[in-house]
Amino acid sequence: MLSQDALKKIDQELTKYPDNQRRSAVMSALRIAQVEHGWLSNELIEYIANYLKIPPVQALEVATFYSMYNLKPVGKYKLTVCTNLPCALSGGVNALEYLKAKLGVELGETTKDGKYTLTQGECMGACGDAPVILVNNHKMCSFMDPATIDKKLAELQ
Amino acid sequence: MAIYQKGVIFADFDTADKDCWTLDSYVKRGGYQALKKILNDNIAQDQVIAEVKQSGLRGRGGAGFPTGLKWSFMPRALDGQKYIVCNSDEGEPGTFKDKDIMEFNPHSLIEGMIIAGYAIGASVGYNYIHGEIYEVYERFEEALNEARRAGYLGNNILGTNFSFELHAHHGYGAYICGEETALLDSLEGKKGQPRFKPPFPASFGLYGQPTTINNTESLAAIPFIIRDGGQIFQDKGIPNNGGTKLFSISGHVNRPGNYEIPLGTPFSELLKMAGGMRDGRKMKAVIPGGSSAPVLPGDIMMQCTMDYDSIAKAGSMLGSGAVIVMGEDVCMVKALERLAFFYHEESCGQCTPCREGTGWLYEIIHRIEHGHGKHEDLDLLDSIGNQMAGRTICALADAAVFPVRSFTKHFRNEFEYHIQHKKCMVNHNWL
């Protein structure tokens, strides 16, 4: 279910932990799988568990506990806006409202063309750069006022 | 972007320099000298710990526990694997200092962790990095590779018989993993749920082995302390509050960012460095140490100095040094509603008082904010808080209750107005 490249990355993660602690690599293995597939189906979670030689439920409980794993399909770009208090004081809520209006979706929804999914995040640890938007979990965009959001959306093809 | 005063971790370089994070740049400004000093002069573990105790360094993650004392708890004489773990799971709303340390000066942390490993007898370390900062995690991995290639990590470091390996572990979105035992469980590949203490990590930590867990900023200060001396670090601050500290300022100021300044600096000076209040607002309130710290009215805050003792005396906590500044146009009910939502979302669900209590706190504050509050609601919030604080495995329940108690204490009139008139006392908008 995963490319050789992805499996190589998981093997690399496994080298970080003692040989009898393969379970420690489950978080990164799920992340690597999600990057390749966009989301984590039950089959994919089970595949990861088998690869790590851990019971599937141990991989499932990690996938369901941490907020950045996608447990259902998302758009090509998942946009996560931080609206916690420090960000809200510097335009975080406005950034979210602007995106809702611009994309015509509510929180948790995906645009009809399947391009964007809009979500809300908790603290990303970048409150000084507010408003902050995370694209597909890994790319942080700072100081996202409406004009900068427009520019960013135009870049995301 | 970040703005700094000259400090200990951000001394002698400009964060605008795109290569400031590299090994070359770090070595040129005196990096890895502390490690060389220890290994070449064969300085004893106890002496390293004594130097850290001398520095007065207190844990920069929030608790303020003396770092040297924590290191001395490790059972070094015991055979078997020991670990040093860095807590870079920086998710306390308002805090963004550890991210900048790893982005602009990762080798200070790497060197600090090697020295910590040496002092406590650990041959392996892990740096647990907050999920939302993937690019910083990648940068840290690159810095680790540089250190390995240069022989600062691995077997027989600098030709001695000291060996140490260090790895980065990437989180994936859970505030609770900032709690040290939840972090350990997460590192073991489990749900991040706090463990009951005792046993403490120094006796039963990662994989059941003796483990010390320190914050990023604490560990990144270690090279300076060893190279220049504990006393010099101590003297940068004030008694019982040694050294400089990073403060992350956010909210209604002109220049949000990180400022590394001596402990004991007046808050008014820090505010000035941050460019003062945005758009000429009057200051209403400040949360001085991350969202879990009790809020203080602006006039009380203006009397404080930025150190553990002064902020504690004023009734709050220095915490992680995250200063959230709120102007006169902030509705305190709305602000508290947002924080209550956060704690409800992030409760790990393990303890009933927290899992259920955070939900009730949010529901009640939400209904007050939306004009459905009842007169008995403020007493109800108080009673729920009493059933949560101190009754759970970890401090998340307390962290959820502190803001509720302090907001309703200092700004009670706004809550009462909201309940009576079913609307905000101030004309609030989030800009």
Side-chain angles (χ1 to χ4, degrees), chain A residues 13 16-17 21 23-24 27 31 62 65-69 83-84 88 90 122-123 125 127-128 138-140, chain B residues 91 94 96 99 126 130-131 135 137 141 167-170 172-173 186-187 189-190 192 207 278 338 342 430:
Chain A
E13 291 294 327
K16 294 178 178 177
Y17 311 100
Q21 299 291 349
R23 188 177 179 182
S24 279
M27 289 183 75
R31 159 172 53 83
V62 165
F65 186 81
Y66 298 90
S67 64
M68 289 163 67
Y69 297 115
T83 57
N84 208 316
S90 293
E122 290 303 342
C123 189
C127 326
H138 292 178
K139 173 74 193 160
M140 186 176 283
Chain B
F96 45 93
K99 166 179 173 287
Y126 291 98
H130 192 48
E135 291 151 303
Y137 164 76
E141 286 275 30
H167 303 287
H169 181 100
H170 186 224
Y172 228 54
S186 181
L187 201 43
K190 301 169 186 166
Y207 309 129
R278 199 195 303 158
R338 188 60 190 81
F342 168 72
W430 274 121

Side-chain angles (χ1 to χ4, degrees), chain A residues 12 17 28 30 33 39-40 44 46 57-58 74 95 109 135:
Chain A
Q12 177 62 34
Y17 311 100
S28 45
L30 290 169
W39 69 290
L40 300 173
L44 188 54
E46 192 173 359
V57 69
Q58 290 185 353
V74 294
E109 290 180 358
V135 180

Side-chain angles (χ1 to χ4, degrees), chain A residues 130-149:
Chain A
V132 177
I133 297 174
L134 211 52
V135 180
N136 286 342
N137 290 334
H138 292 178
K139 173 74 193 160
M140 186 176 283
C141 306
S142 305
F143 305 109
M144 300 301 280
D145 56 31
T148 318
I149 291 175

Side-chain angles (χ1 to χ4, degrees), chain A residues 9 12-13 15-18 20-28 30-32 34-35 40 54 58-70 78 80-95 107 120-132 134 136-143, chain B residues 1-2 83 90-97 99 124 126 128 130-135 137 141 167-174 176-177 182 185-193 206-207 249-252 256-257 278 281 287 291 324-327 330 334-336 338-339 341-342 345-348 407 428-431:
Chain A
K9 282 182 184 154
Q12 177 62 34
E13 291 294 327
T15 65
K16 294 178 178 177
Y17 311 100
N20 59 351
Q21 299 291 349
R22 294 171 65 88
R23 188 177 179 182
S24 279
V26 68
M27 289 183 75
S28 45
L30 290 169
R31 159 172 53 83
I32 291 162
Q34 179 167 295
V35 167
L40 300 173
I54 61 173
Q58 290 185 353
L60 182 70
E61 68 176 19
V62 165
T64 54
F65 186 81
Y66 298 90
S67 64
M68 289 163 67
Y69 297 115
N70 304 325
K78 183 176 82 166
T80 311
V81 187
C82 180
T83 57
N84 208 316
L85 181 61
C87 275
L89 293 168
S90 293
V93 173
N94 300 59
L107 272 180
Q120 176 177 247
E122 290 303 342
C123 189
M124 298 172 184
C127 326
D129 300 348
V132 177
L134 211 52
N136 286 342
N137 290 334
H138 292 178
K139 173 74 193 160
M140 186 176 283
C141 306
S142 305
F143 305 109
Chain B
M1 182 126 72
Y83 293 103
E90 182 179 49
E92 176 76 13
T95 317
F96 45 93
K97 62 189 177 68
K99 166 179 173 287
V124 179
Y126 291 98
Y128 188 107
H130 192 48
E132 283 84 348
I133 51 172
Y134 183 74
E135 291 151 303
Y137 164 76
E141 286 275 30
H167 303 287
H169 181 100
H170 186 224
Y172 228 54
I176 192 61
C177 291
D185 266 28
S186 181
L187 201 43
E188 292 178 1
K190 301 169 186 166
K191 292 185 286 184
Q193 292 189 319
L206 181 63
Y207 309 129
I249 293 206
S250 63
H252 284 154
R278 199 195 303 158
R281 284 176 171 85
I287 302 177
S291 70
I324 306 168
V325 179
M326 288 175 269
V330 173
K334 207 175 186 65
L336 182 61
R338 188 60 190 81
L339 291 180
F341 176 77
F342 168 72
E345 280 282 302
E346 297 295 338
S347 171
C348 81
F407 272 70
H428 179 105
N429 86 45
W430 274 121
L431 265 184

Side-chain angles (χ1 to χ4, degrees), chain A residues 1 6-8 18-19 31 40-41 55 71 102 106-107 110-111 116 122-123 129 134-135 139 146 156:
Chain A
M1 287 183 88
L7 294 176
K8 220 173 102 188
D19 291 341
R31 159 172 53 83
L40 300 173
S41 61
L71 299 176
K102 173 124 186 159
E106 286 299 314
L107 272 180
T110 301
T111 53
Y116 301 108
E122 290 303 342
C123 189
D129 300 348
L134 211 52
V135 180
K139 173 74 193 160
L156 298 175

